[in-house]
Amino acid sequence: MSGVTSYEVEYRHGATRMVGQMCVPDAPRGDTAVLLLPDAYGVTGHAIGLGRRLAEHGRPVLVADLWGERRLPSGQAEFGPLIGAMAADRGRWLGRVAAAHAALLAGPGLGAARVVALGYCFGGSSALEHARTGAELAGVISVHGGLDILGSDWSAARPTSVLVCSGADDPMATPGMRADLTSAMDTAGVDWQTHLYSGTVHAFTSPMAKSSPAPDTVSYHARSTGRAWTATLDFLRETDGAKPTT
């Protein structure tokens, strides 16, 4: 494991100031960097912790600020309207993702890095939308991303690989939604894989979901969290060109 240096990174989308968190390994390995798109709670300590854990494996990580000014919504009543506003204005939504992507590549020595977009919940939706609309990505990982807010046209997508990790009982990633997504990716020639976890619903990696008032919809699941993390690391190793774990 590598040591990690972590610091704030300011960038802009239009008039909005964004404040992400860069996590840089002391001993980088390979040429892959990670654009970490957090869940709707934003650049929290938990999200930064994920970034540090990935950086310990040798990959520079930018934890992106999707709300601006490092806003940290307190719950569904606050972030629900924020997500709805983004889904209604995809230019702003995807412009903010693209701005974070550019900020990552602007980091020291990262201009030639191959980028994997890794997103959780709303961040997972964002990662898939970033790929769907033509971003240049070495890979995409969506962990319990909401498939219900995705666009359907993948004709602008560039060649890439996609990993989708979902709960089998997630109402925001139903069998029909998963089938629509994989069909669209097939049509676009995208290499994809899906991992489904039984007895698992939405937001299963989020510590905030441990006390969910609606556990049939949103609930933490420790085993599925561990499986998705293992799948993420294996996917990144494969993207690096290294042999995946067995």
Side-chain angles (χ1 to χ4, degrees):
M1 294 289 185
S2 173
V4 174
T5 300
S6 181
Y7 55 90
E8 290 186 0
V9 173
E10 290 192 18
Y11 56 100
R12 303 192 78 84
H13 177 246
T16 303
R17 173 177 165 269
M18 324 298 287
V19 186
Q21 189 81 15
M22 186 73 84
C23 301
V24 180
D26 296 342
R29 295 193 296 272
D31 62 351
T32 302
V34 178
L35 176 62
L36 178 54
L37 302 167
D39 64 19
Y41 289 98
V43 188
T44 60
H46 173 68
I48 294 170
L50 289 172
R52 292 187 66 93
R53 287 174 67 191
L54 289 166
E56 287 171 356
H57 287 271
R59 297 172 184 85
V61 180
L62 175 65
V63 185
D65 177 12
L66 294 175
W67 301 136
E69 298 291 347
R70 203 142 180 172
R71 182 174 182 175
L72 301 176
S74 60
Q76 175 67 38
E78 188 175 353
F79 65 63
L82 291 172
I83 293 173
M86 288 293 190
D89 185 352
R90 289 176 190 264
R92 182 173 61 143
W93 177 12
L94 297 175
R96 290 188 175 187
V97 177
H101 190 152
L104 170 60
L105 292 178
L110 293 177
R114 302 166 71 244
V115 174
V116 171
L118 163 62
Y120 292 81
C121 278
F122 177 64
S125 308
S126 301
L128 290 168
E129 283 291 276
H130 193 40
R132 182 184 70 82
T133 53
E136 185 173 349
L137 294 165
V140 177
I141 306 168
S142 170
V143 181
H144 50 74
L147 307 187
D148 53 335
I149 58 174
L150 300 183
S152 59
D153 181 4
W154 280 71
S155 61
R158 302 189 189 197
T160 192
S161 294
V162 174
L163 167 65
V164 177
C165 299
S166 292
D169 302 320
D170 186 345
M172 297 159 203
T174 64
M177 294 172 193
R178 298 195 302 266
D180 288 344
L181 173 61
T182 55
S183 176
M185 290 192 292
D186 276 337
T187 299
V190 172
D191 169 63
W192 59 266
Q193 55 183 299
T194 60
H195 291 203
L196 288 179
Y197 307 122
S198 67
T200 304
V201 292
H202 196 60
F204 61 81
T205 71
S206 173
M208 300 298 290
K210 291 180 178 179
S211 56
S212 170
D216 291 340
T217 301
V218 172
S219 185
Y220 177 77
H221 196 295
R223 181 185 298 141
S224 296
T225 295
R227 287 173 171 171
W229 182 252
T230 298
T232 293
L233 295 181
D234 284 347
F235 183 90
L236 289 170
R237 278 189 282 267
E238 181 179 312
T239 303
D240 284 340
K243 183 179 179 181
T245 58
T246 56

